[in-house]
Amino acid sequence: MSTQPTSLTITRPDDWHLHLRDGAQLSDTVRDASRYLGRALVMPNLLPPATTTELALAYYDKITAVRPDGSQFEPLMSLYLTDKTDPQEIRRAKACGKIVACKLYPAGATTNSDSGVTDVKNIYAVLEVMQELGILLLVHGEVTDANIDIFDREKVFLETILPNVVRDFPDLKIVLEHITTEHAVKFVEQAGDNVAATITVHHLLYNRNHMLVGGIRPHYYCLPILKRNTHQQALVKAATSGSKKFFMGTDSAPHFKKNKETACGCAGAYTSHAAVELYAEVFEEAGALDKLEAFTSHNGPDFYGLPRNADTITLVKETWSVPATLPLGGEELVPIRAGETISWMVK
Ligand SMILES: NC(=O)N[C@@H](CC(=O)O)C(=O)O
Ligand SMILES: [Zn+2]
Ligand SMILES: [Zn+2]
C-alpha cells in the first residue's frame, strides 16, 4: 500500500459551480469563496434571476465590492436562460468579457428555476449564437414532469432532452452540472470533447442512505438528489479517473437553517467553507490524491479555454472542527460536516 502524502501543493483551484446568493448573504459567501479559490463560475439563479448582461455585470460589481481586501478572487459570470432570452443578449454578454456561460434551468427543476426554460427548442436561436461565440452552456440536467420519480429525473433528461442538444450543436461546449448518476458519467464519457461535467463533493461523499437511514437529514437534501451508493461509486471513479471531462463544481448552495430544518425544506448543500479540503478526503480515500490537482485546478480552465491559475495552494493533513453553524446574511446556515471534523486543511 503506497503511503499517501500528508502535504499537497496544487495549482490554485477554481469552483465551476457556485451559488453566492445576493444582498446581505453576499459578504458571507464571498468570504468563504475567497479563502483560496482563483475563480468561481457564479450561478445566476437569483430572485430576480440574472437574465441580461446588465444584470450580470451589476451582480459582478456587488460580488467584487465585498471581496476581502487584497483578495484576487475573480467571479466568472453567467446568464440565466429563459424562453424569452434574446439571441442578441449573447452578443452583448460576449462583448462585456465577464460572462463566459449561460445556465439552462428547466423551469421548475430546482431553486429559483420557475422562470427557466420550458422547452429547449425555445432557446435554439440563443444556442446558435452561443456556439458561434464560444459561450458555454451549463445545464441542470433534470426533467420536471411531476410523474417522473425524483430519483429518475436526471436519467430521463439524459435519455430525452440532452441528446438532441448535443446532436444539434456539435460545437457548443456543454457542461452537465452536478452529475449524480452512473448514467451521466457514461453519457459524458461517450459524448464528444465538447461535453464535460462538474461533480460536487457532497455527491462524492454521501449517498441517499446518509440522508435517510436512521432519520431524515435535511442538510443533505439537494437537487439533483443524492442517489444510491452504486451511483456515488461511479462518481468517485469518474472524478478520480484522470479524465479531463470531470472537474470541480461544488454547487455550494446556502439556505438559512430555518429553511432547511422544516417540514418542506429547501434544496441545497453548503460546502464552500471546506470544498477542496473535502475533495482531498475523497481522493485520499480512493488512493488517488495524485489526481486531485487535475480535478480541482486543471480540467475546468482547460475545458473553458481559460488559463490555469499561476500560483498554488498547499493542503496539509491536519484535522479541524467545523462549526455547528456559519453566518449567512445575519442568520445561520448549517454547512456540510457541521459539528464534525475534516482531516485536510488549506495552509
Ligand atoms: N442544487 C440545489 O439543490 N440547489 C441550488 C440550485 C441548483 O443548483 O440546482 C440552489 O441554488 O439552491
Ligand atoms: Zn442545479
Ligand atoms: Zn447549483
Side-chain angles (χ1 to χ4, degrees), residues 104 120 124 142-143 156-166:
L104 166 57
V120 284
Y124 263 41
E142 288 190 294
V143 296
V156 173
F157 186 87
L158 299 172
E159 291 163 349
T160 60
I161 311 285
L162 197 57
N164 303 332
V165 177
V166 172

Side-chain angles (χ1 to χ4, degrees), residues 17-19 43 45 103 105 140 178 223 251-253:
H17 188 132
L18 183 61
H19 297 273
M43 288 295 157
N45 64 326
K103 179 66 182 279
Y105 285 106
H140 180 108
H178 45 41
L223 292 172
D251 194 17
S252 181

